[in-house]
Amino acid sequence: TNKVTNMARFALALFALILGCTMCGCDALGLFFRTPWVHEVPEETLESWFDLIARGRREGPLSPYYVEFLAIQNIACNQIDPLGPPCNASAPTNSKQALGNSSLPYATVWEEDLAKIARYFPLFDRVYIGTLWVDNWDVDKNVSNAEAAAQQAKVARRFLELYPNVPNMAWYITLEGSVNDIGDSRAASADFADFLNKTTTALQALRALPTLWSPAITRAFSTYTPATLAAMKSNLAYMFSLQSHPIMLHFQDFLGQSVTFTFPFFYDYSKALTCEGDTVPYYNLLQSIADQQPMLAQVKVNMEMFAERLEHGEHGENNGANIVNANPSEIAARKACYDRYSLPIGACWALPHWYYLWTYANATVYAPY
């Protein structure tokens, strides 16, 4: 038993050495948070998550627990959040929201949950506020993009009514998208440009603040030819050229969503994307666009800290996959790879996974179960 305990301590110490900050400094790591988690876990669990962050803030930037900013994915109920309070009472026509419970209207802010998170806002240098997953949104229709912007602005306006004096506040665009799908064609990039521009314009009209967006890379970089890469770069650059307001992009590295997990403790990386093969070249491509397009204000990596236990062989929460914490040694190796290539790490998904990686315990932190 002592031998096993000592090995576990050594592994955790090694993980801390690699993942934590060194004497050379560290990236401005941020963490995503989903508001419904507040009512899905016991109060003491929520407190333990933020207590570790508070410890890191007390210890300063060299602490392995130091987190610079928080990004709240969503603050209002919507059709993609099966664990949240029911919110289908006033959902739009043709909504995907399940019927049967009308206790909280669609797009209503989770005010009680938000109040419990807001007490931690002073811990962070910046807090990005997302709104909601817009119901019945169709990106290739201008009218739908206008409705999506209006729904997001409604939720953002309510946040400002509740919390008018958050000095470290910024905006987060909850709807994500795929970098690859957007870059597939000029038409797709134009459609998403319309959505982004309408959204940021609506948010900036409420309060002029920095804006963060976190789409995913969803295909292996090796699937592209020089010609198709050039086309993707051109289409993405075109999308940002149409923006009226700067957007910071922290792209999902897809190294959680492409990993599978099976009990008792096996992670399958055989089909997963990789740091050197995918994240590095995608970062270089996006940064080359930022060098030319000032509306792409920043490029960083959203280092996914989870894996998926599949249901019926399909990835994704909406397909029934359970989301579990990533393999700590893989996270440490990936972080070391990003450091080796000088890739800046931004807002990472997500706070509970980060906490449980540091406490070296695996858990399913959100459902569907």
Side-chain angles (χ1 to χ4, degrees):
T1 302
N2 289 338
K3 183 177 181 181
V4 172
T5 301
N6 289 337
M7 289 177 65
R9 287 174 177 168
F10 173 77
L12 182 55
L14 180 61
F15 175 58
L17 177 64
I18 298 174
L19 182 57
C21 300
T22 67
M23 293 305 292
C24 297
C26 66
D27 286 315
L29 177 73
L31 295 171
F32 277 104
F33 190 86
R34 180 180 284 174
T35 303
W37 287 335
V38 172
H39 62 254
E40 294 166 11
V41 300
E43 183 76 18
E44 57 269 23
T45 299
L46 182 71
E47 291 177 354
S48 68
W49 292 349
F50 285 96
D51 282 348
L52 189 59
I53 292 174
R55 173 182 169 180
R57 298 294 295 193
R58 289 193 303 270
E59 294 175 352
L62 295 182
S63 171
Y65 310 116
Y66 189 80
V67 176
E68 184 167 341
F69 60 92
L70 181 70
I72 300 178
Q73 183 198 48
N74 57 342
I75 62 171
C77 55
N78 56 80
Q79 91 284 1
I80 292 181
D81 217 339
L83 285 186
C87 54
N88 53 305
S90 59
T93 304
N94 299 322
S95 169
K96 302 179 184 68
Q97 183 65 258
L99 301 178
N101 196 320
S102 59
S103 63
L104 192 63
Y106 171 82
T108 300
V109 172
W110 290 296
E111 295 186 11
E112 292 184 10
D113 290 348
L114 191 56
K116 293 180 180 179
I117 305 173
R119 64 190 177 185
Y120 298 111
F121 286 174
L123 283 175
F124 303 95
D125 290 359
R126 181 172 285 175
V127 178
Y128 293 92
I129 302 298
T131 54
L132 80 168
W133 289 91
V134 176
D135 204 350
N136 207 33
W137 167 57
D138 189 347
V139 71
D140 61 2
K141 295 181 180 179
N142 291 345
V143 173
S144 183
N145 288 334
E147 181 182 352
Q151 291 182 44
Q152 292 172 89
K154 175 186 174 182
V155 172
R157 187 178 299 109
R158 181 56 183 157
F159 178 86
L160 291 174
E161 291 170 355
L162 294 168
Y163 302 97
N165 299 310
V166 179
N168 55 348
M169 178 185 166
W171 296 121
Y172 173 65
I173 300 173
T174 301
L175 291 156
E176 298 168 355
S178 160
V179 170
N180 307 85
D181 292 346
I182 296 167
D184 269 350
S185 68
R186 186 55 58 99
S189 60
D191 289 339
F192 231 94
D194 180 65
F195 161 71
L196 288 173
N197 203 45
K198 283 182 167 65
T199 294
T200 56
T201 298
L203 294 175
Q204 295 298 315
L206 295 173
R207 186 170 295 181
L209 297 169
T211 302
L212 174 66
W213 180 43
S214 184
I217 56 171
T218 55
R219 301 177 207 163
F221 195 82
S222 61
T223 61
Y224 287 89
T225 66
T228 55
L229 274 177
M232 179 169 67
K233 178 179 178 180
S234 174
N235 291 332
L236 293 172
Y238 176 70
M239 178 181 70
F240 285 105
S241 75
L242 298 177
Q243 299 308 303
S244 302
H245 308 280
I247 295 173
M248 295 178 289
L249 190 152
H250 295 186
F251 69 93
Q252 302 167 39
D253 64 7
F254 218 62
L255 277 166
Q257 296 174 73
S258 60
V259 177
T260 58
F261 171 84
T262 54
F263 289 106
F265 206 81
F266 176 71
Y267 292 91
D268 183 0
Y269 290 92
S270 62
K271 298 179 181 179
L273 273 61
T274 67
C275 165
E276 292 183 322
D278 299 290
T279 314
V280 172
Y282 273 118
Y283 171 81
N284 290 336
L285 182 143
L286 291 167
Q287 185 57 54
S288 70
I289 296 172
D291 292 340
Q292 300 171 356
Q293 296 294 338
M295 291 300 103
L296 178 50
Q298 182 186 78
V299 178
K300 290 189 176 184
V301 180
N302 172 350
M303 185 172 69
E304 296 181 341
M305 299 182 176
F306 62 89
E308 296 189 357
R309 183 179 180 230
L310 305 186
E311 183 72 19
H312 309 301
E314 295 186 73
H315 282 276
E317 284 181 82
N318 295 331
N319 294 321
N322 289 330
I323 311 300
V324 303
N325 304 315
N327 182 342
S329 62
E330 188 279 328
I331 289 286
R334 198 187 331 161
K335 172 64 166 61
C337 179
Y338 292 166
D339 288 345
R340 189 163 61 250
Y341 287 94
S342 301
L343 266 60
I345 297 175
C348 300
W349 192 272
L351 192 155
H353 303 297
W354 171 87
Y355 174 84
Y356 290 115
L357 285 167
W358 278 119
T359 55
Y360 211 68
N362 208 331
T364 298
V365 297
Y366 54 97
Y369 295 101

